[in-house]
Amino acid sequence: MPPKCAGRKKLPVPLPPGYVLNDFQKKSWKLGKILGSGGCGLIYLAAPATERAVCDDAVHVIKVEYHENGPLFTELKFYQRVAKSEHIRDWMRNHQLSFLGIPTYWGTGLAKYKEKSYRFMVMDRLGQDLQNVLQQSGNRFSKAKVLKISIQMLDVLEFIHDNEYIHGDIKAANLLLGCTNDKEIYLADYGLAFRYQPNGTHKEYKEDPRRCHNGTIEFTSIDAHRGVAPSRRSDLEILGYCMLQWLCGTLPWEHNLKDPNAVQQAKIKFMNNLPTSVNECLPPGSECSEITSYLSYVNSLKYDERPEYQKIHNILLNRVRVNRPKALDPLHLPMQEYNKKVPDLCSLQNVVRTSPKEKSQKEVGLNAARETPSKQKPLQIKRASTTNKVECLPPTRITERKPKATMTVEDRSRETVQNEPRRAAEDIRGSGQKSRWDMLDGTAAHHYRLGQGWTKLVDRHSNSANVAHDKSKIKSSIYRYGATVLLLMILIGLVLLFL
């Protein structure tokens, strides 16, 4: 439903700095300066109420709207039902994620000022929105950046959808960077959030002329244009339009936004003419198979069908395997490749290369010295953006290790234990097992979906290492106890001899 205040375009009367608000948990919050406005409300810096004024580095904000406005009430219901901190942590743990872009909710309450009633909500402070970053980048992002932002948003949408809600208004203005970490991206503003599956029953497909063209006109879904209650495929379709605009700079229907019916027909024609319609939006010489495949999959979904989120991840990760991000670009979130057919070109320090001579020696059972990666030439890969080549850093030097002439049981067990992590990682890489990426802290965090195969692999290797280690301990104990007994017997013999 559109915001009730949209027609009036009236923001609340500003509250004075230092004004104290009390939430329903009886916690007091002091207002600082106004940071800006969002939807139908004002956003203030805030801090727990003390005698001191609110500093500019405060870590909380308060969103204030008139009590009768609908969007903030809808947003509060979403946070209270879905976005509790412990619930988010459990979901992240179950899905092997270290970060999820849902803002932290602290509390809510009601207040009165000059005979006006207000509703407020306390949240964590976030950084600038992605729309500002987009404008500073010339209204376009690189393909790698678009795909990585979309992967973060896909995790957020999966969490929301699993909890019976859709967002309904995904756009750059509602994506906020982290306040202290600009590699974290949060999906904010749940004023149009909709519970599509209350009590486990999906809403029926029903067109309602009174609800046509709901949402932000350039991004809203075809279902929303028809007045149909939004569903999971609606959120994914909106994200697809955002990806296309971030990559191309504009959408084919943006010149006619004052005519919602014309926009609706343009979107229907666009989705029916994939992949040609996407290719026509791109600059000459560019290609965008990932977004084309993504939109084709979304277009094939039924109204009440649950999307295969892992499949969508794989579609979007396809391009990330080829394009390496710039290390110093704060929005180029580093991601490492995974594919058994295309190894990670910039992580070859984990791979030991051998010459043909060494391979022949291996075949006859001889130990050969390994060639160090420092002798290899730096690798280069192509990227489809404005730069022609990206040089990968040379692999880390591996110390050459000469074979030992003799090796005890204890040495052999120690070497087995030390090599277990590398061998397990190589087995996983060669098995083609599915993986999930998150872009939390600027490092490539690779989360494997643990299954029986991984558990058995680790148990098998760890058990063999433990057995060898236990045998060596038993043998050394026997030798030590035998020597002790022999020494005692010699001492007893000497005593008896002197007596």
Side-chain angles (χ1 to χ4, degrees), residues 195-383:
R195 197 177 182 191
Y196 72 92
Q197 196 173 356
N199 302 320
T201 303
H202 199 288
K203 294 285 187 180
E204 295 182 358
Y205 182 92
K206 184 178 179 181
E207 298 182 7
D208 185 355
R210 297 172 298 178
R211 303 180 60 182
C212 288
H213 316 299
N214 189 17
T216 304
I217 190 67
E218 57 261 50
F219 303 116
T220 195
S221 66
I222 295 175
D223 285 340
H225 279 293
R226 292 170 174 166
V228 180
S231 64
R232 289 168 287 199
R233 75 177 183 185
S234 300
D235 267 353
L236 297 178
E237 182 181 345
I238 295 171
L239 179 60
Y241 295 149
C242 289
M243 294 165 61
L244 194 64
Q245 190 203 50
W246 299 339
L247 181 63
C248 303
T250 185
L251 295 170
W253 47 83
E254 284 192 20
H255 65 281
N256 209 9
L257 296 180
K258 294 183 179 180
D259 187 352
N261 292 317
V263 173
Q264 175 184 348
Q265 295 304 317
K267 290 178 181 177
I268 294 174
K269 181 180 178 180
F270 181 88
M271 296 296 283
N272 289 337
N273 292 330
L274 296 171
T276 304
S277 54
V278 173
N279 294 333
E280 291 175 350
C281 296
L282 297 173
S286 300
E287 61 87 21
C288 190
S289 60
E290 295 76 20
I291 296 181
T292 301
S293 300
Y294 173 89
L295 289 173
S296 298
Y297 174 75
V298 172
N299 198 36
S300 68
L301 291 173
K302 297 179 181 179
Y303 175 69
D304 58 352
E305 182 179 353
R306 186 185 189 276
E308 296 181 43
Y309 298 97
Q310 184 59 51
K311 180 177 181 178
I312 303 175
H313 269 276
N314 295 339
I315 291 173
L316 297 179
L317 283 169
N318 178 48
R319 194 61 194 174
V320 178
R321 282 199 301 269
V322 179
N323 285 344
R324 296 290 296 184
K326 295 180 182 178
L328 299 180
D329 190 342
L331 268 177
H332 271 83
L333 308 174
M335 298 185 64
Q336 208 169 6
E337 301 82 353
Y338 75 99
N339 190 306
K340 64 178 181 180
K341 294 183 180 179
V342 185
D344 185 357
L345 299 179
C346 292
S347 298
L348 291 177
Q349 63 268 27
N350 296 326
V351 179
V352 178
R353 296 187 174 185
T354 57
S355 65
K357 181 178 179 180
E358 291 170 337
K359 290 182 180 178
S360 62
Q361 290 177 346
K362 265 190 174 180
E363 293 176 357
V364 297
L366 298 177
N367 293 323
R370 293 174 177 174
E371 183 182 22
T372 59
S374 61
K375 300 179 182 179
Q376 307 297 326
K377 295 181 179 180
L379 296 172
Q380 293 183 342
I381 52 178
K382 296 181 179 179
R383 60 182 301 173

Side-chain angles (χ1 to χ4, degrees), residues 491-499:
L491 292 175
I492 292 173
L494 292 174
V495 170
L496 293 176
L497 180 63
F498 284 110
L499 291 177

Side-chain angles (χ1 to χ4, degrees), residues 54-221:
V54 179
C55 302
D56 290 341
D57 59 351
V59 297
H60 298 93
V61 295
I62 291 182
K63 188 174 183 179
V64 180
E65 290 187 6
Y66 283 129
H67 181 267
E68 61 269 17
N69 288 351
L72 185 57
F73 178 78
T74 302
E75 191 168 10
L76 284 170
K77 287 298 180 183
F78 166 81
Y79 280 109
Q80 291 170 347
R81 286 175 176 169
V82 175
K84 295 179 180 178
S85 298
E86 60 273 13
H87 183 48
I88 293 176
R89 284 195 298 269
D90 291 342
W91 192 90
M92 291 169 57
R93 188 183 308 112
N94 293 335
H95 288 75
Q96 302 290 318
L97 296 175
S98 299
F99 169 74
L100 189 67
I102 301 285
T104 304
Y105 162 79
W106 288 93
T108 183
L110 301 175
K112 277 195 173 184
Y113 179 73
K114 292 185 177 180
E115 299 181 355
K116 288 284 186 178
S117 296
Y118 296 85
R119 178 182 280 114
F120 66 90
M121 178 176 64
V122 187
M123 306 289 295
D124 266 351
R125 183 182 182 180
L126 298 175
Q128 64 176 332
D129 61 66
L130 203 63
Q131 185 63 38
N132 288 333
V133 180
L134 185 64
Q135 293 172 354
Q136 296 167 10
S137 303
N139 291 324
R140 285 188 182 182
F141 287 148
S142 67
K143 181 182 292 186
K145 187 179 296 186
V146 170
L147 295 179
K148 291 164 191 174
I149 294 171
S150 303
I151 289 170
Q152 285 204 35
M153 289 304 100
L154 185 61
D155 287 332
V156 177
L157 292 181
E158 183 178 359
F159 169 78
I160 297 171
H161 297 169
D162 284 353
N163 288 277
E164 302 182 345
Y165 270 86
I166 62 98
H167 186 276
D169 197 22
I170 305 160
K171 55 186 178 182
N174 288 338
L175 303 183
L176 304 180
L177 306 183
C179 186
T180 58
N181 187 349
D182 57 9
K183 297 178 181 65
E184 299 174 348
I185 303 177
Y186 295 81
L187 179 59
D189 197 348
Y190 293 82
L192 293 182
F194 178 77
R195 197 177 182 191
Y196 72 92
Q197 196 173 356
N199 302 320
T201 303
H202 199 288
K203 294 285 187 180
E204 295 182 358
Y205 182 92
K206 184 178 179 181
E207 298 182 7
D208 185 355
R210 297 172 298 178
R211 303 180 60 182
C212 288
H213 316 299
N214 189 17
T216 304
I217 190 67
E218 57 261 50
F219 303 116
T220 195
S221 66

